[in-house]
Amino acid sequence: MNENAVNLWTSSEHVKDYLQRADLIAHRGEGEAALLEFVPEETRRILDLGTGDGRLLALVRAQHPDTEAVAVDFSPAMLAAAQKRFGADGSVRIVEHNLDEPLPALGKFDAVISSFAIHHLVHERKQALYGEIFGLLNTGGVFCNLEHVSSPSQQLHEEFLQRIGFTVETEDPSNKLLDLETQLGWLRQIGFIDVDCQWKWRELALLTGRRG
Ligand SMILES: C[S@@+](CC[C@H](N)C(=O)[O-])C[C@H]1O[C@@H](n2cnc3c(N)ncnc32)[C@H](O)[C@@H]1O
């Protein structure tokens, strides 16, 4: 297999390990709080890409309870965890889909959100997905991507890993990190407006853009 295509997220052990430490990831609460500021008041439909156990979607829906949502993931263990969280809630539809492939028809959305998921796709697919997201947004809709981006140097990368309890030997081989500026540039080229990095701590960044 092409090393770049490694993705361990279908492994239930990998998922279990992540979910056990998800609350402990340094500064993530700050990034999530920043993301919440960018979801418009008038939001009615939300799409969460790489939803995992639905953590981010639950935070957004706590602030926007009068919404319906679609939660997408491809990992059986994550889909089960999302089902456990949202199962009784008829306003959340959980969709099994591999984001390596073009998004299926899901309708239009006022907010497309994602946290720490899209960096598991190869760069070409990240860019294509950003274009698909633009096409799914209603006028005025937002894309909010709390993401793991690359550092400008190996030293900064290793410092980041150390601060989140990893080393180059133990970091997730599923990661396909890309610099922030390239991704902001793609969003602008696609036609998003108000594109910016709204929050950042080392390799964790909130990228946002709006469909004008
Ligand atoms: C680090 S977890 C983040 C989960 C959740 N968004 C959160 O913030 O806790 C990465 C998520 O991306 C999902 N993912 C990775 N590659 C994917 C792919 N090709 N298609 C769909 N989901 C994918 C994983 O299954 C996992 O749920």
Side-chain angles (χ1 to χ4, degrees), residues 160-167 170:
F160 167 77
L161 289 175
Q162 191 209 333
R163 279 172 166 76
I164 62 161
F166 284 85
T167 65
T170 62

Side-chain angles (χ1 to χ4, degrees), residues 7 57 60 128 179 199 205 211:
N7 192 328
L57 182 57
V60 171
D179 64 278
W199 173 88
R211 181 165 181 150

